[in-house]
Amino acid sequence: KPMIQLKDVSKIYDNGTVGLKDINLTINKGEFVVVVGLSGAGKSTLLRSINRLHDVTSGDILIDGKSITSAKGKNLRELRRDIGMIFQNFNLVKRSSVLRNVLVGRVAYYPTWKTTFNLFSKEDKQKAYEALQQVDLADKVYARADELSGGQQQRVAIARVLMQNPKIILADEPTASLDPQTSVRVMNDLKMLNEKYGMTVVANLHSIELAQQFGERVIGIRAGQVVYDGKMKDTPKSV
Ligand code: ADP
Ligand code: ADP
């Protein structure tokens, strides 16, 4: 069942730079896809297009069958709620507690005034604690986010995305600032969300080794175009 579909998608930036060129791509529900390519190939542009952090220049993108390209207002908000993000720099609220950072994953389900006053339900607080257990950080619940190591902060971000309970997770270079051992741990936690909760994962990776280890399907992009799409065992040494 298609979860993400790109139909003839191009993204040309205002200054004329080609971000993506005529991309046709289908990612099915439950897939774990790794996107590889050199710096500047268009990996981030691809993810930013899928959750519509920017508008594409032409083409259509469907999320679980619904066009995000033309969605507006409430429909767009609902589609975005189905898409969780993991960033290279973790994007945590540094001075807040780990628990509160995980609860942030629920904000799209609450009216704004409630989250402003930190009025999360008891049930959600319990769920946040359980999410932290899933990534083995139950002992850090009340720590300040910026007291944790990089790997731990990224796992808080993974607990946050678990709280959001999206259909899709887009991870933009989730391990770029981490050492190899910590990177594997973070990738394993993303894999856990995929296997245990059925979330469709698309992760941009710089490292071909990690891509081969974790990408059931590896998509190689160069100059905004798909130049490789296949199983991990066939992945070429360089893309
Ligand atoms: P990657 O994530 O693979 O490193 P990007 O998607 O960030 O690649 O960039 C693809 C191309 O688009 C690059 O040539 C980059 O310089 C360009 N680009 C990215 N963002 C912008 C922007 N906001 N304005 C203009 N050009 C951009
Ligand atoms: P992990 O691999 O579990 O993410 P690390 O091996 O990077 O953690 O760090 C080990 C311990 O050192 C952690 O318990 C963490 O609290 C602490 N630590 C690492 N980096 C920092 C930092 N920048 N500030 C505070 N504590 C840190």
Side-chain angles (χ1 to χ4, degrees):
K1 181 172 163 254
M3 183 53 79
I4 305 170
Q5 285 168 284
L6 283 86
K7 298 184 171 174
D8 294 319
V9 171
S10 292
K11 169 67 184 176
I12 317 294
Y13 286 102
D14 289 342
N15 64 4
T17 307
V18 177
L20 297 175
K21 193 171 165 8
D22 302 325
I23 301 266
N24 284 287
L25 197 59
T26 299
I27 294 171
N28 287 318
K29 182 172 171 18
E31 277 197 277
F32 194 103
V33 178
V34 166
V35 181
V36 293
L38 297 175
S39 178
K43 304 183 294 298
S44 304
T45 304
L46 176 68
L47 296 195
R48 288 199 296 266
S49 300
I50 292 171
N51 74 348
R52 210 173 137 195
L53 278 182
H54 59 208
D55 285 322
V56 294
T57 310
S58 59
D60 198 10
I61 299 175
L62 308 185
I63 302 298
D64 204 7
K66 294 181 201 113
S67 171
I68 193 166
T69 317
S70 54
K72 290 192 184 74
K74 183 165 171 281
N75 290 334
L76 179 58
R77 282 198 298 279
E78 281 177 3
L79 284 174
R80 285 212 173 112
R81 197 157 77 178
D82 283 336
I83 304 175
M85 294 290 297
I86 300 281
F87 302 92
Q88 174 175 344
N89 62 1
F90 325 127
N91 272 25
L92 300 183
V93 185
K94 292 188 195 322
R95 303 170 73 89
S96 285
S97 72
V98 165
L99 187 70
R100 174 143 174 87
N101 268 284
V102 175
L103 283 164
V104 165
R106 296 297 293 174
V107 294
Y109 295 89
Y110 283 85
T112 311
W113 69 270
K114 282 208 173 186
T115 53
T116 304
F117 295 103
N118 203 6
L119 297 178
F120 292 100
S121 69
K122 208 175 158 186
E123 191 192 9
D124 274 346
K125 285 179 190 161
Q126 178 62 30
K127 271 196 203 151
Y129 179 73
E130 286 164 12
L132 283 164
Q133 284 180 318
Q134 294 286 320
V135 296
D136 203 19
L137 285 175
D139 58 333
K140 301 286 186 191
V141 173
Y142 299 112
R144 237 173 67 162
D146 59 6
E147 288 167 358
L148 303 188
S149 70
Q152 291 171 329
Q153 289 191 46
Q154 194 59 298
R155 281 151 49 215
V156 172
I158 290 173
R160 177 178 62 190
V161 93
L162 174 55
M163 276 303 280
Q164 183 186 341
N165 193 26
K167 294 175 183 163
I168 296 167
I169 296 174
L170 306 178
D172 198 357
E173 305 266 5
T175 63
S177 61
L178 306 176
D179 62 64
Q181 198 185 334
T182 310
S183 298
V184 168
R185 180 149 192 196
V186 162
M187 291 303 293
N188 271 322
D189 282 330
L190 278 175
K191 193 85 200 152
M192 183 269 294
L193 294 188
N194 171 252
E195 285 176 353
K196 195 163 171 184
Y197 299 92
M199 296 176 186
T200 305
V201 176
V202 183
N204 288 348
L205 290 180
H206 215 76
S207 147
I208 295 276
E209 289 74 36
L210 268 189
Q212 285 176 322
Q213 194 173 343
F214 287 94
E216 283 155 13
R217 176 179 173 192
V218 177
I219 293 173
I221 57 175
R222 188 198 295 150
Q225 292 187 292
V226 174
V227 293
Y228 180 83
D229 187 350
K231 295 253 177 276
M232 90 183 138
K233 61 170 164 47
D234 310 322
T235 310
K237 280 275 176 292
S238 69
V239 178

